[in-house]
Amino acid sequence: MHLLIIGGSDAGISAALRARELAPTVDTTVVVADAYPNYSICGIPYHLSGEVPDWHALAHRTRADLEATGMQLLLEHTAVAVDPGAHTVLVTDRHGSTHQLPYDRLMIGTGAVPMQPRIAGLTTLGPADGVHLLHTMDDTFALAASLTRRSVRTAVIVGAGYIGLEMVEALVQRGLQVTVVEQLPQVLATVDPALAAHVAAELTSHGVEVVLDTLVQAIERDGEALLVRGANGFQRRAGVVLVVVGVRPDTALATAAGVTTGSKGALAVNRRMETNLPDVFAAGDCVETYHHLLGATTYLPLGTTAHKQGRVAGENAVGGDREFAGSLGTQVVKVFGLHVARTGLRDHEARAAGFTPLTTAAVADDHKAYYPGAQPIAMHWTGDTSSGRLLGVQLAGRSESQVAKRIDVTATALFHGMTVEAVSDLDLSYTPPLGSPWDALQLGAQAWVRAVGDRLAPPPPPV
Ligand SMILES: Cc1cc2nc3c(=O)[nH]c(=O)nc-3n(C[C@H](O)[C@H](O)[C@H](O)COP(=O)(O)OP(=O)(O)OC[C@H]3O[C@@H](n4cnc5c(N)ncnc54)[C@H](O)[C@@H]3O)c2cc1C
């Protein structure tokens, strides 16, 4: 049997590794458009900041590690057409020669591509001018070259999502003066405005100019520099411009072969990661994502999800029987000294899904106040008022406050359908330098329970 995998990032390599683990006799070939299999693109901002100076260190595994598992890698080979009837894939190599590769099972992990908003100049200017998108290692090298070649001092970042914010920090660390421009009235639109306000304050305290409610409309050459223009008379000169406004699933290859699409135009898959075509699986940023809480599909392109879906696809492709358990959209971002995380649904999302949610805010110290260094964690808790079920949590706290691990506790509670009140019963660890007898999370949960009416039922009337 021959398993062919298109895409050599999180989803594709996870599928290949699982297949090799379970079925060492299955020939497994991974076709990768670029020369960087299994690179952690999540680490790109930390290479560009200088914290990870050698880009090779971003590889989850080296090429030799991968090949040692028995998989074959066809690097710098691009799949250009899938013939599902003949069970073949047409690929072009780096010299432009074409080859037909047969498959018994195919796994498509083509990922996502950066969205290109309608900004005049974005398609005519490019990396040579200092105008950049950021998704691949080649994009990374191009941006690094711009930063060095042009010895720039100023940058405009368009988009204040998590990648934009990570890049703001990276460029500030390199000594640039950075302006971040966002069309929405808040940064980090994936969390509630009150928590996003902490992020904006953190950016400002590090000298970043935060411009909200401003749609960027044009990027032009202005001598050696670039001029960015937007709504309400916005104008900034910069040496480099980075446009990071989200991604869309890369589906062209699969849809041309007849794979149907679902949520947000991503490839439609069932929980076994099967497409509508026989023997064709798909996983990662190119597919829709089953949401564990909604029991329906959505589009949530995340590295954690791509790894899990790829593993499920790889297992099933070699004869296994596994279902993707679903995502909760759990994510965390570091913005200088602030960590912001969320899991599950926000109030409006829960309402749209048919729940009757209540969201409450709470603030609690990360450890006992008498022990030096205690810091507040700001929390938003969302629960269903009719069932008491936990629906979502958002946290913002300092880097010492273990925000990422605390959100993971709530993600675990959500995954197992716990009520908000039951979080208060969890046996969590405590020592004064690290926590409190009631952990910050439990104080947040108790605040929610109080808000919905934490009263004892009245005693029965005397008979
Ligand atoms: C800067 C940055 C930071 C991020 N940070 C985080 C984070 O902190 N946490 C998190 O969970 N997620 C993060 N992500 C998102 C995460 O990286 C993606 O969700 C993940 O990489 C998706 O993996 P994938 O395999 O589906 O697709 P991709 O990583 O997009 O890879 C697609 C693969 O397919 C190949 N390919 C595409 N078309 C073809 C073709 N026709 N023929 C052959 N090969 C092809 C590409 O070369 C590549 O190997 C970040 C993303 C970026 C860009």
Side-chain angles (χ1 to χ4, degrees):
M1 171 152 128
H2 191 192
L3 169 62
L4 187 61
I5 296 173
I6 303 173
S9 186
D10 296 347
I13 296 294
S14 296
L17 289 170
R18 188 62 176 153
R20 293 297 307 157
E21 209 168 73
L22 293 176
T25 57
V26 170
D27 277 339
T28 301
T29 304
V30 188
V31 179
V32 191
D34 64 20
Y36 312 102
N38 210 199
Y39 267 69
S40 171
I41 58 175
C42 306
I44 290 172
Y46 310 104
H47 167 60
L48 289 169
S49 71
E51 291 159 284
V52 182
D54 180 2
W55 59 266
H56 296 92
L58 295 184
H60 290 297
R61 291 168 197 78
T62 64
R63 179 177 186 171
D65 293 338
L66 294 169
E67 286 173 340
T69 69
M71 70 178 75
Q72 293 155 48
L73 295 171
L74 288 180
L75 304 186
E76 296 176 272
H77 281 63
T78 302
V80 291
V82 176
D83 183 338
H87 276 48
T88 56
V89 174
L90 185 68
V91 300
T92 56
D93 65 21
R94 69 180 79 93
H95 308 294
S97 306
T98 57
H99 314 266
Q100 287 279 4
L101 302 178
Y103 68 82
D104 296 300
R105 298 278 159 79
L106 178 67
M107 201 318 271
I108 299 174
T110 45
V113 287
M115 286 208 273
Q116 296 205 36
R118 255 191 247 134
I119 297 177
L122 186 57
T123 49
T124 48
L125 297 172
D129 306 286
V131 178
H132 294 267
L133 305 170
L134 188 64
H135 192 75
T136 63
M137 291 307 295
D138 284 328
D139 295 339
T140 308
F141 302 139
L143 178 53
S146 267
L147 291 168
T148 322
R149 186 178 62 237
R150 299 161 68 89
S151 57
V152 293
R153 297 184 186 286
T154 50
V156 169
I157 295 185
V158 183
Y162 77 92
I163 295 177
L165 297 178
E166 288 173 352
M167 283 308 302
V168 168
E169 182 178 345
L171 296 188
V172 169
Q173 288 213 23
R174 287 181 75 118
L176 274 70
Q177 172 61 50
V178 182
T179 299
V180 59
V181 194
E182 169 58 56
Q183 64 171 333
L184 297 173
Q186 68 171 86
V187 299
L188 200 62
T190 44
V191 298
D192 289 348
L195 297 185
H198 291 278
V199 181
E202 183 73 5
L203 293 167
T204 310
S205 75
H206 284 81
V208 177
E209 183 189 23
V210 180
V211 180
L212 301 176
D213 273 321
T214 301
L215 186 71
V216 169
Q217 294 161 328
I219 307 170
E220 300 158 9
R221 295 283 326 225
D222 183 13
E224 279 301 286
L226 294 156
L227 182 67
V228 181
R229 291 196 285 108
N232 313 317
F234 172 81
Q235 279 204 4
R236 290 295 177 279
R237 288 184 91 238
V240 78
V241 178
L242 179 60
V243 179
V244 272
V245 297
V247 295
R248 61 175 175 76
D250 186 352
T251 58
L253 176 73
T255 54
V259 178
T260 52
T261 54
S263 301
K264 298 240 172 102
L267 302 177
V269 284
N270 61 20
R271 290 177 62 190
R272 289 173 44 84
M273 309 313 297
E274 292 165 327
T275 68
N276 59 308
L277 297 181
D279 302 319
V280 179
F281 297 76
D285 281 6
C286 60
V287 304
E288 61 185 9
T289 300
Y290 175 74
H291 195 287
H292 186 79
L293 200 56
L294 298 175
T297 57
T298 176
Y299 184 58
L300 273 170
L302 285 169
T304 46
T305 307
H307 275 92
K308 294 185 189 82
Q309 291 178 337
R311 186 177 165 90
V312 169
E315 181 160 342
N316 291 336
V318 295
D321 184 19
R322 191 163 296 273
E323 288 200 329
F324 172 57
S327 168
L328 292 167
T330 310
Q331 49 197 283
V332 63
V333 61
K334 169 188 179 296
V335 183
F336 297 103
L338 188 73
H339 295 184
V340 183
R342 69 167 281 186
T343 187
L345 306 176
R346 288 167 60 196
D347 202 87
H348 65 279
E349 294 162 343
R351 203 169 298 283
F355 295 102
T356 45
L358 175 74
T359 297
T360 55
V363 178
D365 283 343
D366 59 356
H367 63 256
K368 287 304 299 177
Y370 59 73
Y371 186 86
Q375 297 282 354
I377 301 177
M379 300 178 266
H380 282 192
W381 283 75
T382 303
D384 185 36
T385 51
S386 48
S387 64
R389 185 175 172 191
L390 178 62
L391 296 176
V393 179
Q394 302 164 62
L395 304 176
R398 306 305 305 171
S399 46
E400 311 79 33
S401 300
Q402 311 224 28
V403 163
K405 285 307 140 197
R406 283 191 162 101
I407 206 74
D408 290 344
V409 171
T410 61
T412 308
L414 264 179
F415 194 85
H416 291 287
M418 285 172 62
T419 62
V420 178
E421 190 164 22
V423 173
S424 183
D425 294 332
L426 289 173
D427 181 21
L428 302 180
S429 64
Y430 163 56
T431 181
L434 301 177
S436 302
W438 291 114
D439 187 77
L441 287 181
Q442 293 171 311
L443 296 174
Q446 289 167 9
W448 186 89
V449 173
R450 271 197 302 282
V452 288
D454 177 22
R455 289 179 206 96
L456 292 175
V463 279

